[in-house]
Amino acid sequence: MNRTILPDINHPDFAFFWTKCRDEVLTVPICQQCGRKRWPPRPICSACHSPDYTWIEIASRGRIYSWTVTHRNMVPHSIQPTPYVIAVVEIDEPRDTLRLLGGLWETPPEIVHLNMLVEPVFVPVNDVLTLPFWRPVQRRHVIACESPVR
Amino acid sequence: MINIAIVGVGETSYSQRSGMSPQALALHAIQRAVDDAGLDVSVIDGIVPISNSIPAEDVISNFNLPHVGLSATLRIGGASAVGSLGLAATALQTHRCRYVVIYIGKNGSSGERMVQRVSQLPGYQFRRQLEEPFGWGTPLQWYAMMCRRHMELFGTTKEHLARVSLTMRKHAQNNSHAQMYGKPMTREDYYASPMISDPYQLFDCCLETDGGAAIIVTSEERARDLRKRPVVVSGWGVSPPQSPDDLTNRPDWNSIGLTKAAPDAYSMAGIGPHDISALMVYDCFTFEVIQQLEEAGFCGRGEGGPFVASGAIEMDGQLPVNPHGGLLSEGHMTGLNHLIEAVRQLRGECTSRQLPRLQFIGVTGWGNLGDGSMAILRRDHRG
């Protein structure tokens, strides 16, 4: 029995995010008054209370803030088999720190550690939905983005 | 301002399968609490059902209550029992009510279970749209994630979690009302229990329970004329955490509702953590005990693991925690059983598990995504 719960891609607060996931881009709302980015998507800016916002692409790198390895078949279940790793990924944008909840895609639990650098991997679930998972950044990528002057 | 006191407590048996309706469980518990206070049920004029209990209307109809000045429910889950004392205090201080009942009746094991309540919690749109699709959707998994971060930041270990679980089980061996009475647990049993969502195994989790529990609250002045020695509510605090509808983007995961609720409770009571003789901690999972010990000021942040490992929370420790066995080993009555245990300890009714020399007992609550509450109880000063 399939106990996976998929998002409602037509939900007005989240639809844009899911549309852009199909293009393999992560986006968040950005306040048109004060310029603060926010996550999760909220109808108003909690910094300046403006209702006006648009969407903006964010960095496609993050670090593991925390994680859990789920061994038992829970409801809701991941599209991955147990045991699967769920993580909070922290993304440093110039002015804002945003955290996204996601799964680590095909990642062995024993290699996961705090502050591990991860990148998104976009997994199509059906014709209209792509879920953004994460995976460890390959070492060559780490060198490229972490130490430009070394 | 008037002081308020708890004057009656009542419970049904706690089990995995009550064979009774939630209505019957709640009503039986209320009747026992009223009997304990030496009151007639018709004096009840304030009704405070705990979050997921049967509604006030059921109580009014069944007991045919002639006048009800207030019925209200705090929707802060496991922080509600302690938080409801604040609600009762407000109703009593404005003379809107004279006797308030706070109660729960539920089939939390055989009926609607905890995971089925997630959709009623704050911020469910974020859970449903952004988190459940990745298989992260139960309180156990949320708190496992909080625990993991604490372990990484402060060196908290599985052995610390085991110590909490083992201590609660040990305490339950002195409480024939506890579901784990007569079922002692070894360290090997703990580590052999199934892994659910790392670092939480089965025995890191509380007991979803069928049962009913109730307390009666009135003014301290009225309390002095009743059957039992009153237990006075010296202070209370209730607070949400930062971003109470979303854990993922909470700025500081170390800070919870109790971080603010505890100082409010101490300040109202005019005491500090060092004056507390024993603590009833909302032990929904093992790590939550460690975190609440830290945030209520019994040890520094990050020191909760070593604190429990030192034996401090044992019956003969510096801060005995949950002599009844708590949610982990007595049963999950959404924290109302913690208030009941505190009252019985302060009255001196706990026989084989009675703690000596009690001054103040602290009681904490934890609900939803970290809503916190704390009450400080003491004996009435007369005699």
Side-chain angles (χ1 to χ4, degrees), chain A residues 14-66:
Chain A
F14 308 93
F16 191 89
F17 175 78
W18 294 117
T19 301
K20 297 307 284 183
C21 278
R22 284 172 64 197
D23 300 337
E24 305 202 343
V25 173
L26 293 176
T27 55
V28 301
I30 180 168
C31 177
Q32 289 184 303
Q33 183 167 292
C34 75
R36 297 290 299 268
K37 294 168 191 151
R38 60 182 187 255
W39 195 259
R42 296 177 183 280
I44 67 167
C45 171
S46 41
C48 76
H49 307 161
S50 166
D52 300 322
Y53 67 94
T54 183
W55 290 76
I56 190 167
E57 184 176 345
I58 56 169
S60 56
R61 287 280 192 284
R63 292 180 185 278
I64 300 287
Y65 187 79
S66 194

Side-chain angles (χ1 to χ4, degrees), chain B residues 140-372:
Chain B
L140 182 149
Q141 291 169 298
W142 307 333
Y143 300 161
M145 190 94 84
M146 290 176 79
C147 178
R148 170 55 64 191
R149 182 161 171 88
H150 196 274
M151 292 168 110
E152 297 297 314
L153 290 183
F154 300 114
T156 307
T157 65
K158 272 296 281 183
E159 192 59 20
H160 296 149
L161 306 187
R163 188 62 182 266
V164 172
S165 182
L166 288 162
T167 305
M168 294 308 106
R169 187 69 76 93
K170 188 170 150 189
H171 290 180
Q173 303 317 308
N174 296 319
N175 175 13
S176 60
H177 194 250
Q179 289 180 83
M180 288 300 178
Y181 178 72
K183 296 174 185 167
M185 177 171 72
T186 65
R187 176 167 270 94
E188 291 67 36
D189 294 334
Y190 168 83
Y191 282 109
S193 71
M195 182 61 81
I196 300 178
S197 197
D198 181 87
Y200 281 161
Q201 296 176 245
L202 183 64
F203 290 154
D204 290 298
C205 309
C206 63
L207 299 165
E208 292 181 285
T209 299
D210 290 4
I215 64 173
I216 311 293
V217 183
T218 190
S219 69
E220 185 178 17
E221 192 181 2
R222 251 179 249 117
R224 289 180 175 149
D225 300 328
L226 299 179
R227 177 180 291 162
K228 293 283 178 72
R229 187 175 190 178
V231 168
V232 175
V233 181
S234 295
W236 52 271
V238 186
S239 177
Q242 300 167 308
S243 73
D245 67 352
D246 182 58
L247 171 61
T248 303
N249 279 273
R250 179 169 304 162
D252 176 10
W253 277 24
N254 297 316
S255 176
I256 53 179
L258 185 63
T259 310
K260 290 179 191 152
D264 284 351
Y266 292 133
S267 161
M268 187 186 280
I271 64 164
H274 293 298
D275 300 306
I276 301 280
S277 316
L279 190 69
M280 309 299 155
V281 181
Y282 196 88
D283 52 332
C284 45
F285 300 95
T286 48
F287 165 67
E288 279 56 42
V289 174
I290 290 170
Q291 186 168 31
Q292 289 176 87
L293 288 167
E294 295 175 1
E295 298 309 303
F298 295 99
C299 56
R301 190 172 274 173
E303 295 169 3
F307 185 80
V308 301
S310 75
I313 66 170
E314 306 258 350
M315 290 299 279
D316 58 356
Q318 68 183 83
L319 183 75
V321 166
N322 298 350
H324 58 320
L327 307 179
L328 285 162
S329 279
E330 186 190 53
H332 189 310
M333 277 296 113
T334 319
L336 208 43
N337 51 327
H338 287 40
L339 280 171
I340 290 171
E341 175 70 5
V343 168
R344 289 186 174 142
Q345 287 285 349
L346 286 166
R347 288 173 174 174
E349 294 177 344
C350 287
T351 58
S352 63
R353 66 175 191 279
Q354 181 62 47
L355 294 165
R357 297 179 302 280
L358 293 171
Q359 288 281 327
F360 294 95
I361 293 185
V363 186
T364 74
W366 170 307
N368 297 351
L369 299 169
D371 286 317

Side-chain angles (χ1 to χ4, degrees), chain A residues 4-9 11 13-14 17-18 39-42 64-72 74-79 84 86-88 97-103 113-114 131-133, chain B residues 115 124-138 140-141 144-150 152-153 194-200 202 243 245-254:
Chain A
T4 301
I5 294 178
L6 297 178
D8 170 12
I9 58 168
H11 188 296
D13 290 349
F14 308 93
F17 175 78
W18 294 117
W39 195 259
R42 296 177 183 280
I64 300 287
Y65 187 79
S66 194
W67 73 98
T68 182
V69 188
T70 294
H71 290 253
R72 182 166 286 200
M74 311 286 266
V75 180
H77 199 278
S78 171
I79 61 170
Y84 57 87
I86 316 159
V88 169
T97 299
L98 307 168
R99 297 194 205 114
L100 273 65
L101 187 283
H113 59 87
L114 193 70
L131 286 177
F133 281 78
Chain B
V115 293
Y124 182 63
Q125 70 277 21
F126 304 137
R127 314 288 93 72
R128 171 70 183 78
Q129 302 301 328
L130 303 173
E131 297 177 353
E132 291 185 352
F134 298 100
W136 198 57
T138 63
L140 182 149
Q141 291 169 298
M145 190 94 84
M146 290 176 79
C147 178
R148 170 55 64 191
R149 182 161 171 88
H150 196 274
E152 297 297 314
L153 290 183
M195 182 61 81
I196 300 178
S197 197
D198 181 87
Y200 281 161
L202 183 64
S243 73
D245 67 352
D246 182 58
L247 171 61
T248 303
N249 279 273
R250 179 169 304 162
D252 176 10
W253 277 24
N254 297 316

